Short mmCIF file of all heavy atoms in Angstrom, two decimals:
data_model
loop_
_atom_site.label_atom_id
_atom_site.label_comp_id
_atom_site.label_asym_id
_atom_site.label_seq_id
_atom_site.Cartn_x
_atom_site.Cartn_y
_atom_site.Cartn_z
N ALA C 57 102.11 103.58 101.08
CA ALA C 57 103.00 102.92 102.04
C ALA C 57 102.32 101.65 102.54
O ALA C 57 101.08 101.59 102.63
CB ALA C 57 103.33 103.84 103.20
N ARG C 58 103.12 100.67 102.88
CA ARG C 58 102.58 99.41 103.39
C ARG C 58 103.59 98.79 104.34
O ARG C 58 104.80 98.89 104.13
CB ARG C 58 102.30 98.45 102.25
CG ARG C 58 101.74 97.08 102.70
CD ARG C 58 101.39 96.21 101.51
NE ARG C 58 102.56 95.95 100.68
CZ ARG C 58 102.50 95.73 99.37
NH1 ARG C 58 101.34 95.74 98.74
NH2 ARG C 58 103.61 95.49 98.69
N ILE C 59 103.07 98.17 105.36
CA ILE C 59 103.91 97.40 106.28
C ILE C 59 103.26 96.04 106.46
O ILE C 59 102.06 95.92 106.70
CB ILE C 59 104.09 98.13 107.64
CG1 ILE C 59 104.99 97.32 108.57
CG2 ILE C 59 102.75 98.44 108.30
CD1 ILE C 59 105.44 98.09 109.81
N THR C 60 104.05 94.98 106.31
CA THR C 60 103.52 93.63 106.43
C THR C 60 103.66 93.13 107.86
O THR C 60 104.36 93.74 108.68
CB THR C 60 104.26 92.66 105.49
OG1 THR C 60 105.60 92.49 105.98
CG2 THR C 60 104.29 93.20 104.07
N SER C 61 103.03 92.01 108.13
CA SER C 61 103.11 91.44 109.48
C SER C 61 104.54 91.03 109.80
O SER C 61 104.91 90.94 110.97
CB SER C 61 102.18 90.23 109.59
OG SER C 61 102.52 89.26 108.61
N GLY C 62 105.34 90.82 108.77
CA GLY C 62 106.74 90.48 108.98
C GLY C 62 107.65 91.70 109.06
O GLY C 62 108.87 91.56 109.18
N GLY C 63 107.05 92.90 108.99
CA GLY C 63 107.83 94.12 109.14
C GLY C 63 108.42 94.67 107.86
O GLY C 63 109.24 95.59 107.89
N ILE C 64 108.03 94.11 106.71
CA ILE C 64 108.55 94.60 105.44
C ILE C 64 107.83 95.90 105.08
O ILE C 64 106.60 95.96 105.09
CB ILE C 64 108.36 93.55 104.34
CG1 ILE C 64 109.15 92.29 104.67
CG2 ILE C 64 108.79 94.11 102.99
CD1 ILE C 64 108.94 91.15 103.73
N LEU C 65 108.62 96.90 104.76
CA LEU C 65 108.09 98.22 104.44
C LEU C 65 108.17 98.51 102.95
O LEU C 65 109.10 98.10 102.27
CB LEU C 65 108.87 99.29 105.20
CG LEU C 65 108.73 99.32 106.72
CD1 LEU C 65 109.75 100.27 107.32
CD2 LEU C 65 107.33 99.73 107.11
N TYR C 66 107.16 99.24 102.49
CA TYR C 66 107.18 99.76 101.12
C TYR C 66 106.73 101.21 101.17
O TYR C 66 105.79 101.56 101.88
CB TYR C 66 106.23 98.98 100.21
CG TYR C 66 105.96 99.70 98.91
CD1 TYR C 66 106.80 99.55 97.82
CD2 TYR C 66 104.88 100.59 98.79
CE1 TYR C 66 106.57 100.24 96.64
CE2 TYR C 66 104.65 101.29 97.61
CZ TYR C 66 105.50 101.11 96.54
OH TYR C 66 105.28 101.80 95.38
N TYR C 67 107.42 102.05 100.38
CA TYR C 67 107.02 103.45 100.22
C TYR C 67 107.05 103.82 98.75
O TYR C 67 107.96 103.43 98.01
CB TYR C 67 107.95 104.39 100.98
CG TYR C 67 107.82 104.33 102.47
CD1 TYR C 67 108.72 103.60 103.25
CD2 TYR C 67 106.79 105.00 103.13
CE1 TYR C 67 108.61 103.55 104.62
CE2 TYR C 67 106.67 104.95 104.50
CZ TYR C 67 107.58 104.22 105.25
OH TYR C 67 107.45 104.17 106.61
N LEU C 68 106.07 104.59 98.34
CA LEU C 68 106.07 105.17 97.02
C LEU C 68 107.29 106.08 96.92
O LEU C 68 107.63 106.78 97.88
CB LEU C 68 104.77 105.98 96.84
CG LEU C 68 104.50 106.65 95.51
CD1 LEU C 68 104.26 105.61 94.44
CD2 LEU C 68 103.29 107.57 95.65
N ASP C 69 107.97 106.04 95.79
CA ASP C 69 109.21 106.81 95.66
C ASP C 69 109.03 108.29 96.02
O ASP C 69 109.89 108.88 96.67
CB ASP C 69 109.75 106.70 94.22
CG ASP C 69 110.44 105.38 93.96
OD1 ASP C 69 110.73 104.66 94.93
OD2 ASP C 69 110.68 105.07 92.78
N SER C 70 107.94 108.86 95.62
CA SER C 70 107.75 110.30 95.82
C SER C 70 107.53 110.69 97.28
O SER C 70 107.56 111.88 97.61
CB SER C 70 106.58 110.81 94.97
OG SER C 70 105.38 110.18 95.35
N VAL C 71 107.30 109.71 98.17
CA VAL C 71 107.08 110.03 99.58
C VAL C 71 108.20 109.54 100.47
O VAL C 71 108.20 109.81 101.68
CB VAL C 71 105.73 109.48 100.09
CG1 VAL C 71 104.59 109.89 99.18
CG2 VAL C 71 105.78 107.97 100.28
N LYS C 72 109.16 108.84 99.89
CA LYS C 72 110.27 108.31 100.70
C LYS C 72 111.01 109.45 101.40
O LYS C 72 111.31 110.48 100.79
CB LYS C 72 111.25 107.53 99.82
CG LYS C 72 110.73 106.17 99.40
CD LYS C 72 111.74 105.44 98.53
CE LYS C 72 111.23 104.08 98.11
NZ LYS C 72 112.18 103.36 97.21
N GLY C 73 111.28 109.26 102.67
CA GLY C 73 111.97 110.28 103.44
C GLY C 73 111.04 111.32 104.04
O GLY C 73 111.46 112.11 104.88
N ARG C 74 109.80 111.34 103.60
CA ARG C 74 108.83 112.32 104.12
C ARG C 74 107.69 111.65 104.90
O ARG C 74 107.20 112.23 105.87
CB ARG C 74 108.25 113.14 102.98
CG ARG C 74 109.26 113.91 102.17
CD ARG C 74 108.58 114.85 101.16
NE ARG C 74 107.79 114.14 100.17
CZ ARG C 74 106.48 114.32 99.99
NH1 ARG C 74 105.82 115.19 100.74
NH2 ARG C 74 105.84 113.64 99.04
N PHE C 75 107.28 110.47 104.47
CA PHE C 75 106.17 109.77 105.11
C PHE C 75 106.70 108.57 105.90
O PHE C 75 107.66 107.92 105.49
CB PHE C 75 105.17 109.26 104.07
CG PHE C 75 104.38 110.33 103.36
CD1 PHE C 75 104.69 111.67 103.46
CD2 PHE C 75 103.29 109.96 102.57
CE1 PHE C 75 103.95 112.64 102.82
CE2 PHE C 75 102.53 110.91 101.91
CZ PHE C 75 102.87 112.25 102.03
N THR C 76 106.01 108.26 107.00
CA THR C 76 106.36 107.10 107.79
C THR C 76 105.09 106.36 108.18
O THR C 76 104.18 106.95 108.77
CB THR C 76 107.12 107.50 109.06
OG1 THR C 76 108.30 108.22 108.70
CG2 THR C 76 107.52 106.25 109.85
N ILE C 77 105.03 105.08 107.86
CA ILE C 77 103.89 104.25 108.26
C ILE C 77 104.26 103.47 109.51
O ILE C 77 105.40 103.02 109.67
CB ILE C 77 103.49 103.28 107.12
CG1 ILE C 77 102.19 102.55 107.47
CG2 ILE C 77 104.60 102.30 106.79
CD1 ILE C 77 101.61 101.74 106.32
N SER C 78 103.31 103.36 110.41
CA SER C 78 103.53 102.58 111.62
C SER C 78 102.24 101.83 111.95
O SER C 78 101.14 102.37 111.79
CB SER C 78 103.95 103.48 112.78
OG SER C 78 102.98 104.46 113.04
N GLY C 79 102.40 100.61 112.40
CA GLY C 79 101.24 99.80 112.71
C GLY C 79 101.36 99.15 114.06
O GLY C 79 102.47 98.92 114.55
N ASP C 80 100.22 98.89 114.64
CA ASP C 80 100.17 98.19 115.92
C ASP C 80 99.15 97.07 115.77
O ASP C 80 97.95 97.30 115.88
CB ASP C 80 99.76 99.16 117.04
CG ASP C 80 99.86 98.53 118.41
OD1 ASP C 80 99.73 97.28 118.52
OD2 ASP C 80 100.03 99.27 119.39
N ASN C 81 99.65 95.87 115.50
CA ASN C 81 98.75 94.75 115.28
C ASN C 81 97.93 94.41 116.52
O ASN C 81 96.79 93.96 116.42
CB ASN C 81 99.54 93.52 114.83
CG ASN C 81 99.94 93.61 113.37
OD1 ASN C 81 99.74 94.62 112.72
ND2 ASN C 81 100.53 92.54 112.86
N ALA C 82 98.50 94.63 117.69
CA ALA C 82 97.78 94.32 118.92
C ALA C 82 96.57 95.24 119.10
O ALA C 82 95.53 94.83 119.61
CB ALA C 82 98.70 94.45 120.11
N LYS C 83 96.72 96.49 118.66
CA LYS C 83 95.63 97.46 118.78
C LYS C 83 94.85 97.61 117.48
O LYS C 83 93.87 98.36 117.43
CB LYS C 83 96.18 98.82 119.19
CG LYS C 83 96.82 98.82 120.58
CD LYS C 83 97.32 100.22 120.94
CE LYS C 83 97.93 100.24 122.33
NZ LYS C 83 98.43 101.59 122.70
N ASN C 84 95.32 96.93 116.43
CA ASN C 84 94.66 97.01 115.12
C ASN C 84 94.56 98.44 114.61
O ASN C 84 93.48 98.90 114.20
CB ASN C 84 93.27 96.36 115.18
CG ASN C 84 93.35 94.89 115.48
OD1 ASN C 84 94.29 94.20 115.09
ND2 ASN C 84 92.36 94.37 116.20
N THR C 85 95.66 99.14 114.70
CA THR C 85 95.70 100.51 114.20
C THR C 85 96.88 100.69 113.26
O THR C 85 97.89 99.98 113.34
CB THR C 85 95.84 101.53 115.34
OG1 THR C 85 97.04 101.26 116.06
CG2 THR C 85 94.66 101.45 116.30
N VAL C 86 96.75 101.64 112.35
CA VAL C 86 97.85 102.00 111.46
C VAL C 86 97.83 103.51 111.27
O VAL C 86 96.76 104.12 111.17
CB VAL C 86 97.75 101.27 110.10
CG1 VAL C 86 96.43 101.56 109.41
CG2 VAL C 86 98.94 101.60 109.21
N SER C 87 99.01 104.10 111.27
CA SER C 87 99.13 105.54 111.13
C SER C 87 100.06 105.88 109.98
O SER C 87 100.91 105.07 109.59
CB SER C 87 99.66 106.16 112.42
OG SER C 87 98.77 105.93 113.49
N LEU C 88 99.89 107.08 109.47
CA LEU C 88 100.78 107.58 108.42
C LEU C 88 101.18 109.00 108.81
O LEU C 88 100.34 109.91 108.81
CB LEU C 88 100.08 107.58 107.06
CG LEU C 88 100.96 107.99 105.87
CD1 LEU C 88 102.03 106.92 105.62
CD2 LEU C 88 100.12 108.19 104.62
N GLN C 89 102.44 109.16 109.19
CA GLN C 89 102.97 110.47 109.50
C GLN C 89 103.49 111.09 108.22
O GLN C 89 104.37 110.51 107.56
CB GLN C 89 104.10 110.36 110.53
CG GLN C 89 104.76 111.68 110.88
CD GLN C 89 103.82 112.63 111.58
OE1 GLN C 89 103.05 112.23 112.45
NE2 GLN C 89 103.87 113.90 111.22
N MET C 90 102.95 112.23 107.86
CA MET C 90 103.31 112.88 106.61
C MET C 90 103.97 114.22 106.92
O MET C 90 103.33 115.12 107.47
CB MET C 90 102.06 113.08 105.74
CG MET C 90 101.28 111.79 105.49
SD MET C 90 99.89 112.02 104.37
CE MET C 90 98.84 113.07 105.36
N ASN C 91 105.23 114.34 106.57
CA ASN C 91 105.99 115.58 106.79
C ASN C 91 106.34 116.22 105.46
O ASN C 91 106.31 115.58 104.42
CB ASN C 91 107.26 115.27 107.58
CG ASN C 91 106.99 114.70 108.94
OD1 ASN C 91 105.97 115.01 109.57
ND2 ASN C 91 107.88 113.84 109.43
N SER C 92 106.70 117.48 105.53
CA SER C 92 107.11 118.22 104.33
C SER C 92 106.13 118.03 103.19
O SER C 92 106.51 117.71 102.05
CB SER C 92 108.52 117.77 103.90
OG SER C 92 109.45 117.96 104.94
N LEU C 93 104.87 118.22 103.50
CA LEU C 93 103.83 117.98 102.50
C LEU C 93 103.94 118.93 101.32
O LEU C 93 104.34 120.09 101.45
CB LEU C 93 102.46 118.09 103.15
CG LEU C 93 102.06 116.87 103.98
CD1 LEU C 93 100.94 117.19 104.94
CD2 LEU C 93 101.67 115.72 103.07
N LYS C 94 103.59 118.39 100.16
CA LYS C 94 103.64 119.15 98.90
C LYS C 94 102.25 119.20 98.28
O LYS C 94 101.42 118.32 98.55
CB LYS C 94 104.60 118.46 97.93
CG LYS C 94 106.01 118.26 98.46
CD LYS C 94 106.85 117.48 97.48
CE LYS C 94 108.26 117.26 98.00
NZ LYS C 94 109.11 116.49 97.04
N PRO C 95 102.00 120.18 97.44
CA PRO C 95 100.68 120.24 96.78
C PRO C 95 100.33 118.95 96.04
O PRO C 95 99.16 118.55 95.99
CB PRO C 95 100.84 121.41 95.82
CG PRO C 95 101.82 122.31 96.49
CD PRO C 95 102.81 121.37 97.14
N GLU C 96 101.33 118.27 95.50
CA GLU C 96 101.07 117.03 94.77
C GLU C 96 100.68 115.87 95.68
O GLU C 96 100.33 114.79 95.19
CB GLU C 96 102.28 116.64 93.90
CG GLU C 96 103.60 116.63 94.63
CD GLU C 96 104.37 117.93 94.42
OE1 GLU C 96 103.75 119.01 94.48
OE2 GLU C 96 105.61 117.84 94.23
N ASP C 97 100.76 116.08 96.98
CA ASP C 97 100.28 115.06 97.92
C ASP C 97 98.77 115.16 98.14
O ASP C 97 98.18 114.32 98.83
CB ASP C 97 100.98 115.20 99.28
CG ASP C 97 102.47 114.91 99.19
OD1 ASP C 97 102.85 113.94 98.50
OD2 ASP C 97 103.24 115.65 99.83
N THR C 98 98.16 116.18 97.59
CA THR C 98 96.72 116.36 97.73
C THR C 98 95.98 115.18 97.12
O THR C 98 96.19 114.83 95.95
CB THR C 98 96.28 117.67 97.05
OG1 THR C 98 96.88 118.77 97.72
CG2 THR C 98 94.77 117.81 97.09
N ALA C 99 95.12 114.56 97.93
CA ALA C 99 94.38 113.38 97.48
C ALA C 99 93.46 112.92 98.60
O ALA C 99 93.55 113.41 99.73
CB ALA C 99 95.35 112.25 97.13
N VAL C 100 92.62 111.97 98.27
CA VAL C 100 91.88 111.24 99.29
C VAL C 100 92.74 110.05 99.68
O VAL C 100 93.18 109.28 98.81
CB VAL C 100 90.51 110.77 98.79
CG1 VAL C 100 89.80 109.96 99.87
CG2 VAL C 100 89.66 111.97 98.37
N TYR C 101 92.99 109.90 100.96
CA TYR C 101 93.83 108.83 101.47
C TYR C 101 92.96 107.74 102.07
O TYR C 101 92.05 108.02 102.85
CB TYR C 101 94.81 109.37 102.51
CG TYR C 101 95.96 110.12 101.90
CD1 TYR C 101 95.75 111.38 101.32
CD2 TYR C 101 97.25 109.60 101.86
CE1 TYR C 101 96.80 112.08 100.73
CE2 TYR C 101 98.30 110.29 101.28
CZ TYR C 101 98.06 111.52 100.71
OH TYR C 101 99.10 112.21 100.13
N TYR C 102 93.27 106.50 101.71
CA TYR C 102 92.49 105.35 102.14
C TYR C 102 93.34 104.38 102.95
O TYR C 102 94.44 104.00 102.53
CB TYR C 102 91.93 104.59 100.94
CG TYR C 102 90.97 105.37 100.09
CD1 TYR C 102 91.42 106.15 99.02
CD2 TYR C 102 89.60 105.34 100.34
CE1 TYR C 102 90.54 106.87 98.23
CE2 TYR C 102 88.71 106.05 99.55
CZ TYR C 102 89.19 106.82 98.50
OH TYR C 102 88.31 107.52 97.73
N CYS C 103 92.80 103.97 104.06
CA CYS C 103 93.41 102.92 104.86
C CYS C 103 93.03 101.57 104.23
O CYS C 103 91.91 101.40 103.73
CB CYS C 103 92.87 103.02 106.28
SG CYS C 103 93.43 101.75 107.40
N ASN C 104 93.95 100.62 104.31
CA ASN C 104 93.76 99.33 103.66
C ASN C 104 94.40 98.25 104.53
O ASN C 104 95.56 98.38 104.91
CB ASN C 104 94.42 99.40 102.27
CG ASN C 104 94.39 98.10 101.52
OD1 ASN C 104 95.39 97.37 101.49
ND2 ASN C 104 93.27 97.80 100.90
N VAL C 105 93.62 97.23 104.85
CA VAL C 105 94.12 96.19 105.75
C VAL C 105 93.87 94.82 105.14
O VAL C 105 92.74 94.52 104.73
CB VAL C 105 93.44 96.28 107.13
CG1 VAL C 105 93.88 95.12 108.01
CG2 VAL C 105 93.75 97.61 107.80
N GLY C 106 94.90 94.00 105.10
CA GLY C 106 94.76 92.62 104.66
C GLY C 106 94.74 91.71 105.87
O GLY C 106 95.60 91.82 106.74
N HIS C 107 93.76 90.85 105.95
CA HIS C 107 93.63 89.99 107.13
C HIS C 107 93.11 88.62 106.74
O HIS C 107 92.54 88.44 105.65
CB HIS C 107 92.71 90.65 108.17
CG HIS C 107 91.37 91.05 107.64
ND1 HIS C 107 90.23 90.30 107.84
CD2 HIS C 107 90.98 92.12 106.91
CE1 HIS C 107 89.20 90.89 107.26
NE2 HIS C 107 89.63 91.99 106.68
#
Side-chain angles (χ1 to χ4, degrees):
R58 179 176 60 209
I59 181 169
T60 69
S61 58
I64 297 174
L65 293 170
Y66 165 87
Y67 289 100
L68 182 68
D69 282 347
S70 61
V71 308
K72 285 181 180 178
R74 301 187 297 121
F75 290 11
T76 302
I77 187 171
S78 59
D80 187 333
N81 283 6
K83 296 181 179 180
N84 296 327
T85 60
V86 57
S87 298
L88 184 68
Q89 178 66 41
M90 305 184 294
N91 298 329
S92 302
L93 283 161
K94 304 175 181 180
E96 50 263 43
D97 294 318
T98 296
V100 177
Y101 284 71
Y102 297 89
C103 177
N104 176 260
V105 175
H107 54 100

